[in-house]
Amino acid sequence: MGGSGTGKSTILRFALGLIRPDSGQIFIDGEEITNQTEEKMMVVRSKIGMVFQEGALFDSLNVYDNVPYRLREQRVDEEIIESVVLRMLRFVDLEDAVKKMPNELSGGMRRRVGIARALVGNPKIIFYDEPTAGLDPITARTICELALKLRDLEEVSSIFVTHCIQDIEV
């Protein structure tokens, strides 16, 4: 937690292995990853889901095609993809939005689609980068409650990077 420019998002980049620290060590799920190869980091990243501040959805893809992006890169069978997408959208209460484009969604809906996409592959950890920024208080609380639901039902750990104390008090 901290104000703008204090390095919150940089810590997430370290944990994802996108940048390397000048000193110290980084552990993910008990494994030291500081100097791992890119190949090894791909295995580590498969344990992690990432929810970006604005949802980071692909503007040219509808919700149905945004959610399984990781699976399509892995060439997973379309029947499995359909099952996963519908399950993830049901979890974030957006089953009715499958055909919508990102520009048709509210900010909170985009974040929830981002959470659904982050859940693909059953990660053990989800990183949230300012997940409630720009959202009204009710929608922000919904996003935080989804993280708690993931913890309680799916045993998924959450790491929140935020400047908002309410996000971590839930």
Side-chain angles (χ1 to χ4, degrees), residues 23-156:
S23 62
Q25 294 176 306
I26 300 168
F27 289 82
I28 298 290
D29 198 27
E31 181 179 354
E32 201 278 328
I33 61 139
T34 313
N35 294 307
Q36 295 293 341
T37 65
E38 184 60 26
E39 183 178 281
K40 179 68 174 165
M41 283 309 301
M42 293 303 287
V43 173
V44 171
R45 289 180 194 126
S46 71
K47 300 176 186 180
I48 301 170
M50 180 71 199
V51 178
F52 297 93
Q53 184 172 347
E54 297 299 325
L57 303 179
F58 298 104
D59 292 337
S60 61
L61 301 177
N62 65 20
V63 168
Y64 181 88
D65 291 325
N66 257 288
V67 172
Y69 193 80
R70 180 186 273 186
L71 297 178
R72 289 225 168 89
E73 283 186 325
Q74 298 169 354
R75 302 189 192 291
V76 171
D77 182 67
E78 197 59 40
E79 285 182 21
I80 294 171
I81 287 175
E82 181 178 1
S83 171
V84 168
V85 169
L86 296 177
R87 185 167 49 93
M88 295 305 143
L89 290 175
R90 191 175 310 114
F91 185 82
V92 297
D93 197 25
L94 282 176
E95 294 171 271
D96 297 335
V98 291
K99 294 183 180 179
K100 291 189 179 210
M101 298 300 285
N103 66 351
E104 299 176 283
L105 304 173
S106 69
M109 291 171 80
R110 282 194 299 275
R111 304 285 163 81
R112 292 187 337 216
V113 172
I115 291 170
R117 186 172 64 190
L119 288 172
V120 169
N122 300 313
K124 293 182 170 190
I125 306 164
I126 296 191
F127 294 160
Y128 295 85
D129 191 5
E130 298 280 0
T132 64
L135 299 179
D136 63 85
I138 293 170
T139 304
R141 180 148 182 96
T142 299
I143 299 299
C144 294
E145 287 172 352
L146 270 174
L148 293 174
K149 184 177 170 184
L150 282 168
R151 180 198 66 197
D152 295 343
L153 298 179
E154 304 292 330
E155 297 183 4
V156 174

